[in-house]
């Protein structure tokens, strides 16, 4: 089925994903995970409550007890699944996909991800076959529990509230679900929040919430400058990612936040392991080593990062795409914990976000991720490798191809979720070199920018 992807479920409504498929997914999920209750939550898309209700009905028809946690973020399903010790959780969300899409993210006990290698293909097969019996008399029940107090308390446990300074912070929920959590946190924090696109609205009156797209950053950047804020934060729709802006309204590449958070977590947990992805690495490896930690490279993608974090017992994992994972958060990603930690660091050091990162950004300038649509992705990658192979000091194939040349390096990989090639380039202290090599690679790759 087209809506079943490598890590989750996402498809166009109604031809690829609809209420009937949602019901079948609920039934198949119940047959895949262990015994116990199942948590169900949903995002702000207009059809998400209906899909969640159908998932819950399918679970109940399989005899499962369902906990409906209502409108929430993906990380709340992760948290509630682990915190309550239940059999699994289902989040109905399409995050930053177009308005006519929806989807689901599935986890089993302890919020362990269910992906293509860990049960998602079995669920897909059962949904396709649709060989479910009529519901028996031992039908489960659905109970509503929208209490977020344990989740809020857990978020606050990552920081020393007494060390916080009274910052002014722009918060842009993108009309997604993050605003409600900001409101609940506000009573515990000494911050003044400047709210932008704050109210949840599944019609997306200000565009799909995806701050990775440059055209979606302007509202946050302008609000930071206009209000004289200390920093800005923007989230995607299900707020499992957060994106930071400095006091000048400048967008901070997620790559540099990975190193910053790694160093901060290592202060709290000395000598720990840090997981990072292979797209951009030098700054992270440098900062982890300086902080006395151990950097471990993992294939890109939440299922791979989480699995590696568990096997290494890593305290933190970060991807340049603004996914940040925490051992005490069931090894899951959160869009709330990162900005709280950064705000704590500002308070404790008395420095700005710009001051924290300006030297790091100069030491390891990067291109940011550049996407290309090409006709033959494998052939394009092979052609690039052949072109650079003789000059490369090292070649890695952990995820796509990473080639290092001493003073600069690049990673080129096919997307796991879209028909794209993704390019990242970085250099050692030489922005012009990085820009020149990026231009060379753009020309060699060809295709069209996406």
């Amino acid at each position: 089925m087209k809506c079943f992807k490598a890590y989750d479920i996402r498809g166009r409504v109604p031809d690829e994903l609809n209420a009937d498929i949602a019901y079948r997914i609920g039934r198949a999920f119940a047959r895949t995970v262990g015994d116990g209750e199942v948590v169900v939550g949903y995002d702000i898309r207009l059809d998400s409550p209906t899909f969640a209700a159908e998932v819950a009905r399918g679970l109940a028809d399989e005899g499962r007890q369902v906990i409906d946690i209502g409108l929430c973020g993906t990380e709340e399903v992760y948290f509630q699944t682990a915190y309550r010790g239940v059999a699994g959780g289902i989040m109905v969300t399409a995050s930053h996909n177009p308005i006519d899409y929806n989807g689901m993210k599935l986890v089993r006990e302890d919020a362990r991800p269910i992906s293509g290698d860990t049960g998602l293909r079995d669920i897909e097969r059962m949904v396709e076959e649709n060989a479910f019996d009529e519901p028996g008399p031992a039908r489960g029940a659905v109970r509503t529990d929208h209490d977020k107090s344990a989740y809020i308390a857990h978020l606050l446990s990552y920081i020393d509230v007494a060390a916080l300074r009274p910052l002014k912070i722009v918060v842009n929920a993108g009309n997604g679900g993050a605003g409600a959590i900001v409101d609940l946190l506000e009573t515990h924090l000494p911050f003044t929040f400047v709210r932008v696109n704050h109210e949840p609205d599944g019609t997306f009156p200000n565009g799909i919430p995806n701050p990775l797209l440059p055209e979606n950053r302007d509202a946050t950047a302008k609000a930071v400058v206009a209000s004289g804020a200390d920093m800005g934060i923007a989230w995607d729709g299900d707020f499992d990612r957060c994106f930071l802006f400095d006091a000048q309204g400048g967008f901070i590449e997620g790559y540099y936040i990975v190193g910053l958070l790694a160093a901060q977590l290592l202060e709290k947990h000395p000598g720990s392991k840090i997981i990072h992805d292979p797209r951009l690495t030098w700054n992270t490896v440098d900062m982890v080593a300086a902080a006395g930690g151990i950097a471990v490279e993992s294939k890109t993608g939440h299922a791979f990062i989480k699995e590696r974090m568990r096997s290494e017992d890593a305290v933190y994992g970060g991807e340049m795409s603004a996914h940040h994972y925490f051992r005490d958060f069931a090894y899951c990603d959160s869009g709330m914990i990162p900005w709280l930690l950064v705000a704590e660091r500002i308070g404790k050091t008395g420095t700005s976000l710009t001051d924290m990162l300006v030297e790091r950004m100069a030491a390891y300038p990067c291109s940011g991720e550049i996407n290309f649509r090409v006709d033959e992705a494998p052939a394009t990658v092979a052609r690039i490798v052949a072109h650079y192979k003789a000059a490369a000091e090292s070649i890695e194939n952990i995820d796509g191809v990473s080639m290092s040349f001493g003073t600069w390096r690049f990673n080129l990989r096919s997307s796991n979720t879209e028909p794209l090639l993704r390019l990242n380039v970085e250099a050692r202290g030489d922005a012009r070199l990085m820009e020149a090599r990026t231009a060379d690679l753009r020309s060699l790759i060809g295709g069209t920018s996406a």
Side-chain angles (χ1 to χ4, degrees):
M1 301 184 74
K2 286 187 177 180
C3 64
F4 281 81
K5 309 300 183 182
Y7 304 131
D8 54 26
I9 298 166
R10 278 176 296 123
R12 192 172 52 249
V13 178
D15 50 315
E16 295 176 354
L17 182 62
N18 52 49
D20 177 58
I21 293 173
Y23 170 78
R24 295 189 222 170
I25 289 169
R27 297 201 66 169
F29 183 89
R31 298 184 180 192
T32 302
V33 300
D35 294 336
E37 297 176 300
V38 176
V39 167
V40 176
Y42 53 86
D43 72 6
I44 44 80
R45 290 174 184 256
L46 299 181
D47 46 23
S48 289
T50 297
F51 287 173
E54 287 302 301
V55 166
R57 186 169 71 89
L59 289 163
D61 281 352
E62 289 289 317
R64 294 294 179 134
Q65 304 301 313
V66 180
I67 306 170
D68 171 12
I69 65 171
L71 179 64
C72 65
T74 295
E75 67 186 66
E76 292 184 72
V77 168
Y78 297 157
F79 173 78
Q80 296 292 352
T81 298
Y83 174 74
R84 295 171 183 266
V86 297
I90 300 177
M91 175 66 183
V92 177
T93 180
S95 185
H96 59 276
N97 283 93
I99 194 168
D100 57 339
Y101 276 67
N102 214 322
M104 299 179 201
K105 297 179 181 178
L106 315 178
V107 294
R108 58 178 76 247
E109 76 283 351
D110 298 323
R112 294 174 182 266
I114 297 177
S115 61
D117 298 328
T118 56
L120 194 59
R121 297 286 80 84
D122 294 330
I123 293 173
E124 179 182 17
R125 175 183 50 78
M126 284 186 275
V127 169
E128 284 183 332
E129 293 173 352
N130 195 24
F132 302 107
D133 300 328
E134 286 296 317
R139 191 176 184 276
V142 180
R143 65 183 176 91
T144 299
D145 186 347
H146 295 174
D147 183 7
K148 299 180 186 290
S149 58
Y151 165 66
I152 296 298
H154 185 82
L155 295 180
L156 294 169
S157 73
Y158 287 84
I159 59 172
D160 178 4
V161 175
L164 301 177
R165 288 198 288 124
L167 305 176
K168 180 183 285 188
I169 302 175
V170 168
V171 288
N172 185 350
N175 300 118
I181 306 306
V182 170
D183 293 344
L184 291 173
L185 287 167
E186 184 175 29
T187 59
H188 304 279
L189 303 170
F191 304 147
T192 299
F193 290 117
V194 178
R195 292 166 167 81
V196 177
N197 303 333
H198 193 72
E199 297 302 321
D201 188 340
T203 68
F204 299 122
N206 299 288
I208 302 296
N210 182 12
L212 262 185
L213 300 177
E215 60 267 28
N216 289 353
R217 301 171 188 169
D218 201 39
T220 308
K222 286 182 175 178
V224 169
V225 174
S227 64
D230 296 284
M231 63 185 288
I233 312 161
W235 291 269
D236 57 359
D238 62 336
F239 63 91
D240 59 352
R241 296 180 298 159
C242 71
F243 303 82
L244 302 182
F245 296 73
D246 64 22
Q248 291 73 48
F251 179 81
I252 306 297
E253 289 287 347
Y255 172 39
Y256 301 109
I257 302 299
V258 173
L260 190 70
L261 292 180
Q264 190 168 351
L265 268 296
L266 286 167
E267 290 175 5
K268 300 170 186 276
H269 306 277
S272 294
K273 292 181 179 180
I274 303 293
I275 309 299
H276 64 90
D277 68 299
R279 289 173 285 185
L280 295 168
T281 66
W282 281 346
N283 180 64
T284 303
V285 171
D286 190 21
M287 292 192 74
V288 169
I294 302 168
V296 179
E297 193 168 295
S298 166
K299 190 173 182 179
T300 303
H302 80 97
F304 300 112
I305 297 283
K306 290 170 182 175
E307 181 181 1
R308 193 64 183 271
M309 283 189 70
R310 287 181 183 274
S311 67
E312 300 283 353
D313 193 30
V315 69
Y316 165 75
E319 294 182 276
M320 56 156 289
S321 55
H323 283 285
H324 302 281
Y325 307 81
F326 301 88
R327 179 173 63 195
D328 295 338
F329 200 66
Y331 300 95
C332 289
D333 38 336
S334 167
M336 288 293 163
I337 298 169
W339 72 265
L340 288 169
L341 286 169
V342 170
E344 179 193 52
R345 192 175 189 87
I346 292 172
K348 284 187 173 182
T349 62
T351 59
S352 68
L353 185 55
T354 301
D355 292 339
M356 291 178 195
L357 294 174
V358 63
E359 290 185 3
R360 308 310 309 177
M361 295 166 73
Y364 298 100
C366 74
S367 64
E369 192 154 82
I370 305 167
N371 296 314
F372 299 87
R373 296 190 187 278
V374 297
D375 292 333
E376 296 290 340
T380 302
V381 173
R383 179 164 47 80
I384 298 298
V385 170
H387 180 86
Y388 285 103
K389 187 173 183 179
E393 291 187 0
S394 67
I395 303 175
E396 295 180 352
N397 299 104
I398 292 175
D399 195 355
V401 61
S402 297
M403 305 184 78
S404 176
F405 307 87
T407 55
W408 72 285
R409 68 180 290 276
F410 74 86
N411 173 268
L412 184 64
R413 58 183 287 273
S414 294
S415 168
N416 291 312
T417 57
E418 299 176 82
L420 300 172
L421 273 181
R422 303 192 191 278
L423 171 69
N424 286 277
V425 185
E426 62 182 322
R428 297 188 188 275
D430 191 337
R432 288 186 178 180
L433 174 65
M434 180 274 294
E435 291 166 359
R437 297 292 84 84
T438 301
D440 292 343
L441 280 156
R442 277 184 179 273
S443 178
L444 287 165
I445 293 169
T448 58
S449 298

